[in-house]
Amino acid sequence: MGVTTAMATDRIWKLQLLGGWQLYRGDQPVKVAPRQQRLIAALALYGGQSRRFLAGLLWPDSPERHAFGNLRESVFVVNRDLPKLLAPTQDPLDLVARVQIDVREIRGQASRVEEQTDSELQSMLESVLEAELLRGWYENWIISEQERWQRLRLSVLERLAKQFLLQGTIEQAVEAARAATTIDPLRESAQRLLLQSYLAEGNQAEALRAYRSFQIRLRQEFGVAPSPVTEDLVSPLLMNGSDG
């Protein structure tokens, strides 16, 4: 039974794209060359795609013939060095269904934040707090995916902050809201959640500092003031002239 379990584990591919690229076979990291890393990352992010699409995506500055040649070589190397990672189809290309991909798992969890248990919410918060997609990769297609991922992270962090506030787990609410404002300091919904979290924590001084910092940023960037909804949150503090 132990041998069977070990063999089954060995067949499980795990792909990490958050925080840096790493492929695992079971629990063992696998060394993969940069060109093959990019092919695997593209399939993980875009799903099954035609060879023409992938050749153009990965080698946009190469003549079509060279791009297709590079792709054929990369597919050959992946099939040789990482057998059964690619689905057994010639066109379109895809990863096998059993590959566990961290980005896809978080996207799946993001669709049901409001249904998760306390421990699941905490685990998800830990997963998205510092989760930068393919850090250090700068191709145009990757930058586009990084921006899309940041928008998802921002949405998830806001929804987590709301859930933590509802549950009364204020420390986690502050952490999630603060992370959201770090991603987009001018997003008023995130700033409002941070203010609500500080106030729920009883931290009036920090709430007032956060509000004033946001107020200054808005004025400098857009020449506008926070909305009345946001101002209402801190109006008692402003009337009292309180700095905590």
Side-chain angles (χ1 to χ4, degrees):
M1 185 70 172
V3 173
T4 303
T5 302
M7 290 175 63
T9 301
D10 186 61
R11 288 196 295 269
I12 296 174
W13 294 101
K14 300 175 185 176
L15 180 59
Q16 171 188 308
L17 301 180
L18 301 176
W21 197 98
Q22 182 61 63
L23 180 68
Y24 297 87
R25 182 187 285 115
D27 295 324
Q28 297 301 312
V30 180
K31 188 174 181 179
V32 181
R35 180 173 285 186
Q36 285 71 55
Q37 287 183 14
R38 278 155 173 75
L39 170 60
I40 294 166
L43 293 173
L45 292 170
Y46 288 96
Q49 295 293 335
S50 70
R51 287 178 178 252
R52 181 175 298 277
F53 173 86
L54 292 166
L57 180 77
L58 298 172
W59 294 278
D61 299 324
S62 297
E64 186 176 274
R65 181 168 57 87
H66 292 164
F68 272 95
N70 290 335
L71 179 61
R72 280 194 300 273
E73 179 187 1
S74 289
V75 171
F76 172 80
V77 172
V78 171
N79 281 329
R80 181 193 66 196
D81 297 345
L82 309 167
K84 298 183 179 179
L85 176 63
L86 295 181
T89 56
Q90 288 299 311
D91 199 356
L93 292 172
D94 202 357
L95 302 174
V96 292
R98 65 176 175 271
V99 179
Q100 298 176 5
I101 304 168
D102 55 2
V103 172
R104 291 187 185 178
E105 290 178 353
I106 291 177
R107 282 176 177 160
Q109 294 169 1
S111 66
R112 48 187 176 82
V113 167
E114 290 76 14
E115 303 167 13
Q116 294 185 359
T117 65
D118 292 356
S119 60
E120 288 172 335
L121 289 172
Q122 180 61 41
S123 175
M124 190 168 188
L125 176 61
E126 293 168 1
S127 297
V128 298
L129 270 178
E130 304 292 337
E132 293 184 35
L133 177 65
L134 294 172
R135 183 183 299 141
W137 291 31
Y138 301 110
E139 289 91 333
N140 287 337
W141 69 272
I142 293 170
I143 291 172
S144 175
E145 287 301 303
Q146 289 167 338
E147 291 171 351
R148 188 160 75 101
W149 171 249
Q150 285 290 70
R151 290 194 295 272
L152 176 67
R153 275 185 70 208
L154 183 54
S155 172
V156 169
L157 286 164
E158 285 191 343
R159 290 166 65 192
L160 285 171
K162 289 176 186 176
Q163 286 301 110
F164 287 131
L165 278 171
L166 287 172
Q167 295 174 357
T169 48
I170 306 306
E171 183 178 347
Q172 287 89 342
V174 169
E175 194 172 19
R178 187 186 291 132
T181 61
T182 299
I183 294 173
D184 188 350
L186 294 172
R187 186 177 172 99
E188 189 155 2
S189 57
Q191 291 287 348
R192 198 153 49 237
L193 282 165
L194 183 59
L195 295 176
Q196 290 171 330
S197 300
Y198 281 142
L199 292 171
E201 191 178 44
N203 196 340
Q204 296 182 351
E206 203 60 49
L208 194 55
R209 275 193 287 270
Y211 172 79
R212 286 178 170 162
S213 175
F214 178 56
Q215 183 184 43
I216 291 169
R217 278 178 177 267
L218 272 185
R219 185 184 303 122
Q220 291 175 339
E221 293 287 334
F222 302 120
V224 299
S227 70
V229 176
T230 301
E231 288 182 341
D232 285 347
L233 289 172
V234 294
S235 58
L237 305 183
L238 296 172
M239 285 189 294
N240 292 336
S242 170
D243 287 322

